[in-house]
Amino acid sequence: MFATYLIGLREGLEATLVVSILVAFLVKSQRRDRLPQVWAGVGLAVALSVGFGSLIQYTSTSLLRTSESRELFEAVTSVAAVVFVTWMIFWMRRAARTIAGELRGKLTDALAVGSLAVAGMAFLAVIREGLETALIFYAAAESAAGGTGPGSLLALAGGIATAVVIGFLLYRSAVRINLSRFFTWTGALLILVAAGILKYGVHDFQEAGVLPGLNDLAFDISTTLDPGSWYGALLAGMFNVTAAPTVLELVAWVAYAVPVLVLFLRKPAQPARPVQPAQPAQPDTAVPAAAPADVAAVPSPRS
């Protein structure tokens, strides 16, 4: 359940921050008349994301007739979800400091074109997060013991609701969050979730007969890690850590989690600054200090 909650929180906060930036920009620019177009684009993106998730679930449960085809479908969606998770966390780490300026620039261009452009810009800004959420949620929920049942849906909805509340508080400037630290911690946890999804995908490929070694266990610690215990269920539900994985499952988990975590947690190299020629001394002038770029405070419409 925690994995699906984390997915809803992370993806929901990204989408909420995007919407908050767009709304705050329109309010401060005295263009409240364009807010309905923004909300229309956001609503359409949410509706299509829900429809996409329903289509994935319907395909798995109703369209696929054999167990082998269902296993293969779940394996492919698991691998696709891992690709999206990996791309998403690295993209956000790189773009977190510039996303607000880029969105404002795009919205300015859309305002010059017309209402449909504003709605389309808001739609495109949110639909990526929505489609990612639907795909990653399906893969994560299937890899957990409960599947895409009511509990997983409630956990996802809880994460999204939490993200909406945080986003609203940021918009009203009621709270300040170190986004760099937030996305680093949630990104590291999502890498472990993605490693579990990949492990589950490898197991599905084995059950579908695409990969060998279904009965070749790497180890069996069922006597120590009881799958029926609360901690066994917690590890299986969050990171798909099981007591008796196959060799290929273990290799896939380690081969993904270790290098991706190292690359993600490694501090990006700072570009070398060119040496500037010495300047003559200037009189002291008061310069206001800039706010840290990694601390979120969406401009309030009251400012």
Side-chain angles (χ1 to χ4, degrees):
M1 297 301 179
F2 178 77
T4 53
Y5 176 84
L6 178 63
I7 291 168
L9 176 62
R10 168 81 185 217
E11 295 285 348
L13 186 57
E14 289 184 21
T16 302
L17 287 175
V18 168
V19 175
S20 298
I21 291 169
L22 297 179
V23 171
F25 178 76
L26 289 176
V27 172
K28 290 177 71 68
S29 303
Q30 303 299 320
R31 297 302 304 270
R32 292 176 179 267
D33 58 307
R34 296 301 187 187
L35 287 177
Q37 286 79 43
V38 170
W39 292 119
V42 171
L44 181 58
V46 172
L48 287 180
S49 300
V50 173
F52 178 65
S54 301
L55 178 61
I56 294 176
Q57 181 67 18
Y58 178 74
T59 301
S60 175
T61 57
S62 301
L63 296 184
L64 301 177
R65 300 296 182 182
T66 64
S67 60
E68 290 79 8
S69 61
R70 286 192 291 271
E71 297 291 349
L72 186 59
F73 177 79
E74 292 177 4
V76 172
T77 54
S78 295
V79 173
V82 171
V83 172
F84 275 114
V85 168
T86 308
W87 176 83
M88 175 261 294
I89 59 177
F90 280 98
W91 176 85
M92 178 52 69
R93 188 183 68 167
R94 184 182 67 254
R97 293 175 177 269
T98 60
I99 187 172
E102 292 177 0
L103 285 172
R104 294 186 187 109
K106 292 179 180 178
L107 186 55
T108 300
D109 296 337
L111 286 170
V113 175
S115 300
L116 288 179
V118 173
M121 191 264 172
F123 170 80
L124 293 175
V126 175
I127 189 63
R128 179 180 62 84
E129 305 294 343
L131 296 180
E132 284 179 3
T133 302
L135 180 61
I136 297 169
F137 163 72
Y138 173 80
E142 287 297 324
S143 67
T148 54
S152 296
L153 287 173
L154 287 176
L156 179 71
I160 295 175
T162 304
V164 170
V165 172
I166 293 175
F168 177 77
L169 293 176
L170 288 173
Y171 174 76
R172 303 301 299 181
S173 297
V175 298
R176 296 176 68 86
I177 294 178
N178 188 315
L179 284 183
S180 177
R181 186 171 301 172
F182 173 84
F183 284 122
T184 296
W185 281 104
T186 57
L189 287 174
L190 277 180
I191 288 173
L192 296 179
V193 171
I197 294 174
L198 180 62
K199 173 179 173 291
Y200 177 80
V202 169
H203 184 79
D204 277 340
F205 275 127
Q206 290 178 313
E207 289 191 337
V210 176
L211 292 177
L214 180 60
N215 298 316
D216 297 333
L217 299 182
F219 52 79
D220 188 348
I221 56 172
S222 301
T223 56
T224 303
L225 183 61
D226 182 9
S229 63
W230 67 268
Y231 54 87
L234 181 65
L235 289 175
M238 288 177 58
F239 309 123
N240 199 28
V241 174
T242 55
T246 66
V247 174
L248 279 181
E249 288 179 61
L250 181 62
V251 169
W253 198 98
V254 174
Y256 173 85
V258 174
V260 174
L261 270 176
V262 170
L263 289 174
F264 179 73
L265 296 177
R266 185 181 62 182
K267 292 184 178 180
Q270 298 294 331
R273 295 183 178 180
V275 178
Q276 299 292 336
Q279 299 292 332
Q282 299 291 336
D284 291 339
T285 57
V287 179
D294 57 355
V295 177
V298 178
S300 171
R302 297 172 296 179
S303 59

Short mmCIF file of all heavy atoms in Angstrom, two decimals, residues 168-197:
data_model
loop_
_atom_site.label_atom_id
_atom_site.label_comp_id
_atom_site.label_asym_id
_atom_site.label_seq_id
_atom_site.Cartn_x
_atom_site.Cartn_y
_atom_site.Cartn_z
N PHE A 168 -1.81 23.13 -2.55
CA PHE A 168 -2.63 24.29 -2.20
C PHE A 168 -1.95 25.15 -1.15
O PHE A 168 -1.96 26.39 -1.23
CB PHE A 168 -4.00 23.82 -1.71
CG PHE A 168 -4.89 24.95 -1.26
CD1 PHE A 168 -5.54 25.74 -2.19
CD2 PHE A 168 -5.07 25.21 0.10
CE1 PHE A 168 -6.36 26.78 -1.77
CE2 PHE A 168 -5.89 26.25 0.52
CZ PHE A 168 -6.54 27.04 -0.42
N LEU A 169 -1.35 24.50 -0.15
CA LEU A 169 -0.66 25.26 0.90
C LEU A 169 0.55 26.00 0.33
O LEU A 169 0.86 27.12 0.76
CB LEU A 169 -0.23 24.32 2.03
CG LEU A 169 -1.38 23.70 2.84
CD1 LEU A 169 -0.83 22.72 3.87
CD2 LEU A 169 -2.21 24.78 3.52
N LEU A 170 1.24 25.38 -0.62
CA LEU A 170 2.35 26.06 -1.28
C LEU A 170 1.83 27.27 -2.05
O LEU A 170 2.44 28.35 -2.05
CB LEU A 170 3.08 25.11 -2.22
CG LEU A 170 3.94 24.02 -1.58
CD1 LEU A 170 4.45 23.07 -2.64
CD2 LEU A 170 5.11 24.64 -0.83
N TYR A 171 0.71 27.09 -2.74
CA TYR A 171 0.13 28.18 -3.52
C TYR A 171 -0.26 29.36 -2.62
O TYR A 171 -0.08 30.52 -3.00
CB TYR A 171 -1.09 27.65 -4.28
CG TYR A 171 -1.88 28.71 -5.00
CD1 TYR A 171 -1.39 29.25 -6.20
CD2 TYR A 171 -3.09 29.17 -4.52
CE1 TYR A 171 -2.09 30.22 -6.88
CE2 TYR A 171 -3.81 30.14 -5.20
CZ TYR A 171 -3.31 30.67 -6.37
OH TYR A 171 -4.02 31.64 -7.04
N ARG A 172 -0.80 29.05 -1.46
CA ARG A 172 -1.17 30.11 -0.52
C ARG A 172 0.01 30.58 0.31
O ARG A 172 -0.16 31.43 1.20
CB ARG A 172 -2.28 29.61 0.41
CG ARG A 172 -3.52 29.11 -0.29
CD ARG A 172 -4.16 30.16 -1.15
NE ARG A 172 -4.58 31.32 -0.38
CZ ARG A 172 -5.19 32.39 -0.91
NH1 ARG A 172 -5.39 32.43 -2.22
NH2 ARG A 172 -5.57 33.39 -0.15
N SER A 173 1.19 30.04 0.04
CA SER A 173 2.41 30.40 0.78
C SER A 173 2.29 30.10 2.27
O SER A 173 2.88 30.78 3.11
CB SER A 173 2.77 31.87 0.56
OG SER A 173 3.06 32.12 -0.78
N ALA A 174 1.50 29.08 2.60
CA ALA A 174 1.34 28.70 4.00
C ALA A 174 2.46 27.79 4.48
O ALA A 174 2.71 27.69 5.67
CB ALA A 174 -0.01 28.01 4.22
N VAL A 175 3.11 27.10 3.56
CA VAL A 175 4.23 26.22 3.91
C VAL A 175 5.35 26.42 2.91
O VAL A 175 5.14 26.91 1.79
CB VAL A 175 3.81 24.73 3.93
CG1 VAL A 175 2.76 24.46 4.97
CG2 VAL A 175 3.34 24.28 2.55
N ARG A 176 6.54 26.03 3.32
CA ARG A 176 7.70 26.03 2.43
C ARG A 176 8.35 24.66 2.54
O ARG A 176 8.56 24.16 3.64
CB ARG A 176 8.69 27.15 2.80
CG ARG A 176 8.12 28.55 2.62
CD ARG A 176 9.09 29.61 3.09
NE ARG A 176 10.28 29.68 2.23
CZ ARG A 176 10.33 30.41 1.11
NH1 ARG A 176 9.27 31.09 0.71
NH2 ARG A 176 11.42 30.46 0.39
N ILE A 177 8.65 24.07 1.41
CA ILE A 177 9.22 22.74 1.37
C ILE A 177 10.52 22.76 0.57
O ILE A 177 10.59 23.38 -0.50
CB ILE A 177 8.26 21.72 0.73
CG1 ILE A 177 7.01 21.55 1.60
CG2 ILE A 177 8.91 20.37 0.51
CD1 ILE A 177 5.99 20.60 1.01
N ASN A 178 11.53 22.10 1.09
CA ASN A 178 12.77 21.91 0.35
C ASN A 178 12.51 20.84 -0.71
O ASN A 178 12.59 19.65 -0.44
CB ASN A 178 13.90 21.49 1.29
CG ASN A 178 15.24 21.49 0.59
OD1 ASN A 178 15.38 21.00 -0.53
ND2 ASN A 178 16.25 22.03 1.26
N LEU A 179 12.18 21.29 -1.92
CA LEU A 179 11.81 20.34 -2.98
C LEU A 179 12.99 19.46 -3.38
O LEU A 179 12.79 18.30 -3.74
CB LEU A 179 11.29 21.10 -4.20
CG LEU A 179 9.87 21.65 -4.09
CD1 LEU A 179 9.47 22.31 -5.40
CD2 LEU A 179 8.89 20.56 -3.73
N SER A 180 14.20 20.01 -3.33
CA SER A 180 15.35 19.19 -3.69
C SER A 180 15.47 17.98 -2.77
O SER A 180 15.66 16.85 -3.23
CB SER A 180 16.62 20.04 -3.63
OG SER A 180 17.76 19.26 -3.90
N ARG A 181 15.32 18.20 -1.47
CA ARG A 181 15.40 17.09 -0.52
C ARG A 181 14.21 16.15 -0.66
O ARG A 181 14.36 14.93 -0.61
CB ARG A 181 15.47 17.65 0.90
CG ARG A 181 15.69 16.60 1.98
CD ARG A 181 15.96 17.26 3.31
NE ARG A 181 17.13 18.13 3.25
CZ ARG A 181 17.51 18.93 4.23
NH1 ARG A 181 16.78 19.02 5.34
NH2 ARG A 181 18.59 19.67 4.11
N PHE A 182 13.01 16.73 -0.86
CA PHE A 182 11.81 15.90 -1.01
C PHE A 182 11.94 14.97 -2.21
O PHE A 182 11.68 13.76 -2.10
CB PHE A 182 10.58 16.80 -1.17
CG PHE A 182 9.32 16.04 -1.50
CD1 PHE A 182 8.56 15.48 -0.50
CD2 PHE A 182 8.91 15.89 -2.82
CE1 PHE A 182 7.39 14.77 -0.80
CE2 PHE A 182 7.76 15.19 -3.13
CZ PHE A 182 7.00 14.63 -2.12
N PHE A 183 12.32 15.51 -3.36
CA PHE A 183 12.40 14.67 -4.55
C PHE A 183 13.58 13.70 -4.49
O PHE A 183 13.56 12.66 -5.14
CB PHE A 183 12.49 15.55 -5.80
CG PHE A 183 11.18 16.18 -6.19
CD1 PHE A 183 11.04 17.55 -6.29
CD2 PHE A 183 10.07 15.39 -6.44
CE1 PHE A 183 9.83 18.12 -6.64
CE2 PHE A 183 8.85 15.95 -6.79
CZ PHE A 183 8.73 17.32 -6.89
N THR A 184 14.61 14.04 -3.72
CA THR A 184 15.72 13.10 -3.55
C THR A 184 15.28 11.88 -2.75
O THR A 184 15.53 10.72 -3.16
CB THR A 184 16.90 13.78 -2.86
OG1 THR A 184 17.40 14.84 -3.69
CG2 THR A 184 18.03 12.78 -2.60
N TRP A 185 14.61 12.11 -1.61
CA TRP A 185 14.17 10.98 -0.78
C TRP A 185 13.11 10.15 -1.48
O TRP A 185 13.19 8.91 -1.49
CB TRP A 185 13.65 11.50 0.56
CG TRP A 185 14.74 11.85 1.53
CD1 TRP A 185 15.18 13.09 1.86
CD2 TRP A 185 15.55 10.94 2.27
NE1 TRP A 185 16.21 13.02 2.78
CE2 TRP A 185 16.46 11.70 3.06
CE3 TRP A 185 15.60 9.55 2.37
CZ2 TRP A 185 17.39 11.12 3.91
CZ3 TRP A 185 16.54 8.97 3.24
CH2 TRP A 185 17.41 9.76 3.98
N THR A 186 12.10 10.80 -2.04
CA THR A 186 11.06 10.04 -2.73
C THR A 186 11.60 9.36 -3.98
O THR A 186 11.17 8.27 -4.34
CB THR A 186 9.88 10.94 -3.11
OG1 THR A 186 10.33 12.04 -3.92
CG2 THR A 186 9.18 11.48 -1.87
N GLY A 187 12.56 10.00 -4.64
CA GLY A 187 13.16 9.38 -5.82
C GLY A 187 13.92 8.11 -5.45
O GLY A 187 13.83 7.10 -6.16
N ALA A 188 14.67 8.15 -4.35
CA ALA A 188 15.40 6.95 -3.91
C ALA A 188 14.43 5.81 -3.56
O ALA A 188 14.67 4.65 -3.91
CB ALA A 188 16.28 7.29 -2.72
N LEU A 189 13.34 6.16 -2.87
CA LEU A 189 12.35 5.12 -2.54
C LEU A 189 11.70 4.57 -3.80
O LEU A 189 11.47 3.35 -3.92
CB LEU A 189 11.29 5.70 -1.61
CG LEU A 189 11.72 5.95 -0.16
CD1 LEU A 189 10.63 6.66 0.61
CD2 LEU A 189 12.09 4.63 0.53
N LEU A 190 11.41 5.44 -4.77
CA LEU A 190 10.79 4.97 -6.00
C LEU A 190 11.74 4.09 -6.82
O LEU A 190 11.28 3.21 -7.55
CB LEU A 190 10.33 6.16 -6.84
CG LEU A 190 8.97 6.76 -6.47
CD1 LEU A 190 8.64 7.93 -7.37
CD2 LEU A 190 7.87 5.71 -6.57
N ILE A 191 13.03 4.33 -6.71
CA ILE A 191 13.98 3.44 -7.39
C ILE A 191 13.88 2.03 -6.83
O ILE A 191 13.90 1.04 -7.58
CB ILE A 191 15.41 4.00 -7.26
CG1 ILE A 191 15.58 5.25 -8.12
CG2 ILE A 191 16.45 2.95 -7.67
CD1 ILE A 191 16.89 5.97 -7.92
N LEU A 192 13.75 1.92 -5.50
CA LEU A 192 13.59 0.60 -4.89
C LEU A 192 12.24 -0.01 -5.28
O LEU A 192 12.15 -1.23 -5.52
CB LEU A 192 13.70 0.71 -3.38
CG LEU A 192 15.06 1.16 -2.84
CD1 LEU A 192 15.03 1.26 -1.32
CD2 LEU A 192 16.16 0.21 -3.29
N VAL A 193 11.19 0.81 -5.37
CA VAL A 193 9.90 0.31 -5.84
C VAL A 193 10.03 -0.18 -7.28
O VAL A 193 9.51 -1.25 -7.64
CB VAL A 193 8.83 1.40 -5.74
CG1 VAL A 193 7.53 0.98 -6.43
CG2 VAL A 193 8.54 1.73 -4.27
N ALA A 194 10.72 0.60 -8.13
CA ALA A 194 10.90 0.21 -9.52
C ALA A 194 11.71 -1.08 -9.65
O ALA A 194 11.44 -1.91 -10.52
CB ALA A 194 11.58 1.34 -10.30
N ALA A 195 12.70 -1.25 -8.77
CA ALA A 195 13.47 -2.50 -8.80
C ALA A 195 12.57 -3.69 -8.50
O ALA A 195 12.69 -4.76 -9.12
CB ALA A 195 14.62 -2.42 -7.78
N GLY A 196 11.64 -3.52 -7.55
CA GLY A 196 10.69 -4.58 -7.26
C GLY A 196 9.75 -4.83 -8.42
O GLY A 196 9.39 -5.98 -8.71
N ILE A 197 9.32 -3.77 -9.11
CA ILE A 197 8.46 -3.94 -10.29
C ILE A 197 9.21 -4.68 -11.38
O ILE A 197 8.65 -5.57 -12.05
CB ILE A 197 7.98 -2.56 -10.79
CG1 ILE A 197 7.06 -1.91 -9.76
CG2 ILE A 197 7.26 -2.69 -12.12
CD1 ILE A 197 6.66 -0.49 -10.11
#
